[in-house]
Amino acid sequence: AEKCSAPAPAKEHFVTPPDKTALKRYAVLTFETAGRASIDGNTATVPVKVYDPQGKETGQVEWKFVKTGERWKLESAPLP
């Protein structure tokens, strides 16, 4: 599993960037893949564990990606 908590411009990671309120929620959380990606053509789903700022797991969600050009971007990234 790979953890990622480094911020980057939302437009680089999302098909449609979330609003500022949602981005603030993402910024304080840490994410870890919780299994293998399921890829079907230019779309993929990935199970993701979400951790609060203290490192406690707050839940597991499924993120959806779409391939745009040579990059995969988040199409849907719900939080628990």
Side-chain angles (χ1 to χ4, degrees):
E2 180 180 333
K3 288 188 177 183
C4 179
S5 60
K11 66 182 177 182
E12 292 181 20
H13 300 291
F14 290 87
V15 174
T16 304
D19 63 34
K20 288 183 181 184
T21 302
L23 285 174
K24 287 179 183 179
R25 286 191 63 209
Y26 284 105
V28 299
L29 301 171
T30 303
F31 309 97
E32 179 180 18
T33 56
R36 297 186 65 123
S38 173
I39 301 171
D40 184 14
N42 287 337
T43 62
T45 56
V46 178
V48 175
K49 290 182 183 178
V50 181
Y51 298 88
D52 69 15
Q54 291 74 41
K56 180 181 176 190
E57 184 178 334
T58 61
Q60 186 170 319
V61 293
E62 184 175 89
W63 286 4
K64 295 179 182 176
F65 292 80
V66 64
K67 193 167 188 181
T68 57
E70 295 299 314
R71 296 198 59 187
W72 288 94
K73 290 189 175 188
L74 286 160
E75 182 175 50
S76 172
L79 297 174

